[in-house]
Amino acid sequence: ISIAMLLVISFISLLFGSKPLNISNVFDAIFNYSSSRYSFIVFEYRIPRLLIAMMVGMSLAIAGAIFQGVLRNPLASTDVLGIGKGAGFFACLVISLNLKSSISIAAMIGGLMVGIIIYLLTKKTNFKNTSIVIMGIAMSALFDAGIQYLNISNSANVQTILLWLTGSVWGRYWDEVQILIPYVAIFVPLAIILAHKIDILSLGDKVAINLGENILLLRVGLLLIGIILTASSVSVSGTIGFVGLIAPHIAKNLVGYKHRLVIPLSGLIGANLLVISDIIGRTIISPMEIPVGIVTAFMGAVFYIIL
């Protein structure tokens, strides 16, 4: 059902934009590329944007499911661990320096650097879940302070910084798709393959050790997969919140707590959520656009009030 929904919603997303298209226009653009007057719009603007929304939503949702499972905390997310804030700070730093071509690289470095710092500072506690969460909150607060400082001290670039921090898939093209594809192609299948190990970790450290698992290696490896998926997504779309929190909860309500089901379903739900959010952001006050991060924040708030 999730796959069918994603296909239908993806097609619907191709219809909407600054130039609304009808169904026949889209089919004509897809199947008659050389002769259709709408081929350029569909293939150069809307399909790359759609693919990025799908991959970012999938990556953030799977990362959220990994963090919640490994840390045994239903509120664990990229925000709690500070990965998004670290990536955001480095991206804002290069925007402030007018090095806008390096935003993606800087965000990736920032996200991975936060992961390394958390690793080094929690190593002495054998990576206890509480230590990781506390250190993540500290990193998030630290880098958020840095972001606020950059906003205050760089009035010339404040609009660009704020748009990036809000999270958006507007103005993303095939270059950004090519950045994301290797990470999704490698780390999403890897997360699915290792999903059953999260169930073992959820039984507690003593039980996992008795079952023959190297819990330190397993915990660090799984968290690293989540960090890489998060950092790669943030490097392309900016900081989009709540997807990594909402999607795993919906998946668990549908299929229970076996992560071999939760991980792939979270990815599909995350992709659906972000594509739907992008459609809403494009159409609700058309021709103006609302950044997708604002839509997901609103949806996340409503979801948690209901929950």
Side-chain angles (χ1 to χ4, degrees):
I1 292 170
S2 294
I3 292 169
M5 278 183 61
L6 186 58
L7 291 172
V8 172
I9 293 165
S10 297
F11 184 81
I12 291 171
S13 77
L14 297 178
L15 303 176
F16 296 102
S18 56
K19 168 68 177 173
L21 304 177
N22 58 43
I23 293 173
S24 61
N25 295 150
V26 174
F27 274 119
D28 186 46
I30 293 172
F31 295 108
N32 299 299
Y33 179 80
S34 56
S35 59
S36 173
R37 60 188 290 194
Y38 302 110
S39 295
F40 187 82
I41 294 173
V42 171
F43 280 94
E44 297 302 321
Y45 290 99
R46 298 194 183 171
I47 288 180
R49 179 172 181 159
L50 169 64
L51 292 175
I52 287 169
M54 289 169 59
M55 289 191 288
V56 168
M58 183 178 293
S59 298
L60 292 175
I62 289 176
I66 290 172
F67 293 145
Q68 289 175 20
V70 172
L71 300 176
R72 301 200 293 274
N73 185 336
L75 295 179
S77 69
T78 57
D79 301 321
V80 171
L81 294 180
I83 310 301
K85 293 295 184 183
F89 172 76
F90 275 76
C92 293
L93 188 62
V94 298
I95 292 171
S96 301
L97 298 172
N98 288 315
L99 303 173
K100 294 179 183 178
S101 61
S102 305
I103 293 175
S104 296
I105 297 171
M108 178 67 73
I109 291 170
L112 291 174
M113 193 178 96
V114 172
I116 292 168
I117 292 171
I118 292 173
Y119 171 84
L120 293 174
L121 294 180
T122 57
K123 191 175 181 180
K124 290 182 179 179
T125 65
N126 289 326
F127 310 108
K128 284 184 180 178
N129 296 339
T130 51
S131 299
I132 293 172
V133 172
I134 290 169
M135 194 54 60
I137 292 170
M139 291 295 103
S140 183
L142 179 65
F143 285 106
D144 190 46
I147 289 169
Q148 298 303 324
Y149 172 76
L150 290 174
N151 279 337
I152 293 169
S153 61
N154 291 276
S155 57
N157 292 305
V158 70
Q159 290 296 331
T160 306
I161 291 173
L162 288 175
L163 179 63
W164 198 89
L165 288 173
T166 304
S168 176
V169 291
W170 174 81
R172 270 55 171 188
Y173 306 109
W174 287 107
D175 289 344
E176 286 81 8
V177 173
Q178 291 173 1
I179 290 171
L180 272 181
I181 283 176
Y183 297 103
V184 172
I186 294 170
F187 292 101
V188 168
L190 192 58
I192 294 170
I193 290 168
L194 295 174
H196 68 285
K197 299 289 188 182
I198 301 175
D199 294 331
I200 296 173
L201 288 177
S202 67
L203 298 172
D205 291 354
K206 289 182 179 179
V207 175
I209 291 169
N210 289 334
L211 290 171
E213 297 293 341
N214 184 333
I215 60 168
L216 296 183
L217 181 63
L218 193 56
R219 186 177 289 133
V220 170
L222 285 165
L223 290 175
L224 183 61
I225 292 171
I227 288 168
I228 291 172
L229 286 173
T230 302
S232 61
S233 298
V234 173
S235 72
V236 167
S237 65
T239 52
I240 296 174
F242 283 102
V243 174
L245 275 171
I246 299 172
H249 281 283
I250 296 173
K252 288 169 188 173
N253 284 329
L254 291 172
V255 296
Y257 287 79
K258 288 186 178 179
H259 282 85
R260 65 183 179 82
L261 300 176
V262 170
I263 294 288
L265 185 57
S266 293
L268 289 169
I269 292 170
N272 273 301
L273 280 173
L274 209 58
V275 174
I276 291 170
S277 298
D278 187 39
I279 294 171
I280 293 170
R282 275 189 278 175
T283 57
I284 195 168
I285 56 169
S286 181
M288 292 180 63
E289 285 196 20
I290 299 174
V292 69
I294 293 176
V295 180
T296 59
F298 179 80
M299 290 172 63
V302 172
F303 176 81
Y304 274 99
I305 289 170
I306 293 169
L307 191 65

